[in-house]
Amino acid sequence: MDLSDTDWLQQFGPLADLAPSERTPMVGGAVPMELPAGVTVFAPDQPCNFFILVCEGQVRVYQLDAEGNEIVLYRIGPGGMCILTTLALLADQSYSAFAVTETPVKAVGLPAATFHDLMGRSARFRSFVFNAQAARMADLMRVIQHVAFESIESRLASRLLTLTSGQSALSITHQQLAAEIGTAREVVSRHLKAFEKRGWVSLGRGRVELRKAAPLRAVAASAGR
């Protein structure tokens, strides 16, 4: 990934319009990152050395509960940044969650020193960081709301509809679905079998096929009532 071609900045809104005095140290300090799928980007208690901007691909950020069940906090796609990375850099703390590449990823890493320098000298860079942070916080609040206040049935129905995105079938394991909604695999399996008995889905090994989307939408919508 050639960072001398600064077209990558166009993916990050305000960063494309930085003044030369701000753009030069950022581009000069930036480190190109290319990772295959399935790589752990960071894990709890690891030091945070870079502010990472994702240019291509997708990263899943998640935590584990006391029983070892995974809960997906959010995903970072092209043009995105990580709230936990920002918090760790601002507070000079270690990471508190896991991040794994779901696809091959191309990203740009700003060393911690470069990040702090830009936060101090550039109002535009600060605005970009804090606006992105606010948007990601909204994602986290939605996760908390789903887990704390919505039933497993409504969360599962909603997630199935979101993940299929208009497709009729989804290649996913019960364990992966459990991580998506923050519960145990056995709980997801039980509810999926109930959906299958109602004729809403058809189950196969590592596969869920939607048969009737309308009742799933009704169950998902019931969470807001």
Side-chain angles (χ1 to χ4, degrees):
M1 186 174 176
D2 183 11
L3 297 187
S4 62
D5 180 356
T6 57
D7 284 349
W8 61 271
L9 287 170
Q10 302 298 322
Q11 292 183 269
F12 302 98
L15 300 189
D17 298 322
L18 288 176
S21 61
E22 299 164 350
R23 177 189 291 232
T24 298
M26 183 176 69
V27 174
V31 177
M33 298 179 173
E34 296 193 30
L35 302 171
V39 170
T40 298
V41 182
F42 59 74
D45 299 323
Q46 287 184 345
C48 179
N49 297 317
F50 289 94
F51 179 72
I52 299 175
L53 301 164
V54 176
C55 299
E56 296 179 19
Q58 185 164 269
V59 178
R60 182 177 80 257
V61 180
Y62 68 93
Q63 285 186 329
L64 300 177
D65 65 17
E67 286 73 43
N69 298 313
E70 177 182 327
I71 178 170
V72 177
L73 300 178
Y74 52 84
R75 287 178 167 84
I76 312 168
M81 46 150 281
C82 176
I83 183 174
L84 294 180
T85 294
T86 309
L87 290 173
L89 285 169
L90 291 175
D92 193 24
Q93 294 178 346
S94 299
Y95 283 109
S96 57
F98 296 87
V100 174
T101 55
E102 292 190 315
T103 66
V105 166
K106 290 185 179 181
V108 175
L110 300 182
T114 302
F115 171 82
H116 287 298
D117 176 60
L118 287 167
M119 287 294 286
R121 76 160 71 197
S122 173
R124 188 174 290 272
F125 184 80
R126 285 195 303 274
S127 176
F128 166 76
V129 170
F130 289 135
N131 285 338
Q133 195 81 341
R136 191 61 75 190
M137 279 296 296
D139 292 340
L140 281 178
M141 290 303 296
R142 280 191 288 271
V143 171
I144 293 170
Q145 179 180 350
H146 292 331
V147 173
F149 303 115
E150 296 178 9
S151 69
I152 296 293
E153 185 177 66
S154 66
R155 284 153 55 193
L156 180 57
S158 176
R159 202 66 190 141
L160 285 172
L161 292 167
T162 299
L163 291 172
T164 52
S165 298
Q167 303 296 316
S168 61
L170 177 66
S171 295
I172 195 168
T173 66
H174 293 194
Q175 182 63 58
Q176 289 170 327
L177 269 174
E180 292 289 336
I181 65 172
T183 190
R185 178 188 59 79
E186 295 80 3
V187 175
V188 164
S189 296
R190 185 167 64 249
H191 282 80
L192 283 174
K193 289 175 183 176
F195 287 177
E196 187 175 43
K197 286 181 180 179
R198 298 172 193 168
W200 299 354
V201 303
S202 178
L203 303 178
R205 186 175 181 84
R207 181 180 175 86
V208 179
E209 182 179 353
L210 270 61
R211 307 298 296 274
K212 295 181 180 179
L216 288 171
R217 291 193 192 99
V219 169
S222 68
R225 297 199 293 268

